[in-house]
C-alpha cells in the first residue's frame, strides 16, 4: 500500500492512511454525472444499502454504492505515458525503443 500511496496524486481524498496526494499518477472523482446516477443512489438508499464514500478504504465494509475514482487529470484520462514516461523522456539514462523484446531491466 505504501508504494501505491507514493505513486498516487489524489486530488479528492485526503486520508493519508489510504491515499497519496503528491505522486505523479493523478486520481480524482469523475467530473461527469448524469441524472440517472443520483436516481439510482436514491433508490438503493431506500432499499437500505448504504453509501460507500471510498472503495479503497479497506478499514470499513466495502458493501454499498458510490462513485469509483478514476485515473484522470483535470477531466482527461491519466495514463502511464503522460504521467511517468513523457516527463522523463529527456533524461540521459533513458532510452525508449518500440517493437523491442525485453529480457532484462537494469536499474542503476
Amino acid at each position: 500500500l505504501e508504494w501505491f500511496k507514493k505513486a498516487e496524486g489524489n486530488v479528492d481524498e485526503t486520508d493519508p492512511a489510504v491515499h497519496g496526494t503528491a505522486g505523479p499518477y493523478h486520481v480524482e472523482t469523475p467530473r461527469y454525472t448524469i441524472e440517472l446516477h443520483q436516481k439510482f443512489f436514491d433508490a438503493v438508499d431506500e432499499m437500505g444499502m448504504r453509501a460507500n464514500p471510498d472503495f479503497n478504504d479497506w478499514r470499513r465494509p466495502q458493501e454499498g454504492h458510490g462513485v469509483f475514482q478514476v485515473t484522470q487529470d483535470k477531466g482527461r484520462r491519466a495514463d502511464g505515458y503522460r504521467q511517468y514516461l513523457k516527463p522523463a523522456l529527456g533524461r540521459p539514462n533513458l532510452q525508449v525503443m518500440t517493437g523491442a523484446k525485453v529480457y532484462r531491466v537494469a536499474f542503476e
Side-chain angles (χ1 to χ4, degrees):
L1 180 61
E2 289 305 312
W3 287 103
F4 287 104
K5 291 188 322 187
K6 287 179 183 183
E8 183 180 34
N10 195 315
V11 298
D12 297 326
E13 301 294 332
T14 58
D15 185 350
V18 292
H19 290 284
T21 57
Y25 213 64
H26 295 270
V27 176
E28 60 187 38
T29 302
R31 293 174 176 227
Y32 68 90
T33 185
I34 59 173
E35 188 178 338
L36 184 60
H37 289 157
Q38 192 56 52
K39 288 182 186 256
F40 174 79
F41 294 152
D42 292 343
V44 294
D45 280 338
E46 287 182 23
M47 293 173 49
M49 184 180 287
R50 65 176 173 262
N52 184 344
D54 187 356
F55 289 98
N56 292 311
D57 188 350
W58 286 90
R59 298 171 297 179
R60 66 171 136 232
Q62 290 298 294
E63 299 85 18
H65 65 81
V67 177
F68 285 92
Q69 290 191 309
V70 295
T71 52
Q72 67 183 23
D73 184 11
K74 300 178 188 82
R76 184 177 180 201
R77 183 176 180 270
D79 58 50
Y81 171 74
R82 282 195 294 270
Q83 304 302 310
Y84 283 100
L85 186 57
K86 189 175 180 181
L89 285 175
R91 292 183 182 176
N93 63 342
L94 174 65
Q95 179 181 5
V96 177
M97 299 173 71
T98 61
K101 290 184 180 181
V102 176
Y103 297 99
R104 181 176 64 125
V105 176
F107 293 97
E108 298 176 9

